[in-house]
Amino acid sequence: MANYLIFKGRNSNTIKGLLISELPPITKPKMRYKKNEVDGVDGVTFEELGYSAYTKTVDIGLYGKYDINEIIQFFSGKGTVIFSNESD
């Protein structure tokens, strides 16, 4: 099965000449914590603040007749990305 990704609701398989050659490994971001010290209490408590930001890299290739402007537009902007090796 060929690698693909869905970005802003559009599947990369719909882009002529675009090949997703390598997807990022499946990883979980690190949890951020806040350490709380309370006077008169032994020890500390930790508050979860959410996940740290992290970067995922995708290797692509181009083949045949492709429109570089369409490919640039596909990867431009902000939006949700779903990788074919991670369904969510």
Side-chain angles (χ1 to χ4, degrees):
M1 186 170 150
N3 294 327
Y4 66 91
L5 61 89
I6 299 170
F7 183 48
K8 299 184 288 187
R10 187 169 182 196
N11 191 312
S12 63
N13 289 335
T14 66
I15 309 296
K16 186 176 179 180
L18 175 62
L19 173 68
I20 305 298
S21 56
E22 188 172 342
L23 293 169
I26 298 172
T27 57
K28 182 177 179 181
K30 293 181 181 180
M31 179 63 74
R32 296 180 306 124
Y33 296 96
K34 178 181 177 186
K35 180 177 160 181
N36 296 313
E37 296 184 32
V38 180
D39 289 337
V41 176
D42 287 338
V44 296
T45 61
F46 292 92
E47 176 184 351
E48 288 185 357
L49 299 175
Y51 293 106
S52 297
Y54 64 110
T55 300
K56 290 192 171 196
T57 302
V58 175
D59 292 337
I60 68 167
L62 304 174
Y63 66 94
K65 293 187 177 196
Y66 57 87
D67 181 349
I68 192 66
N69 291 320
E70 181 182 16
I71 294 168
I72 290 169
Q73 183 179 7
F74 175 73
F75 286 109
S76 296
K78 293 191 275 186
T80 300
V81 64
I82 300 170
F83 300 104
S84 60
N85 64 344
E86 290 186 80
S87 61
D88 60 352

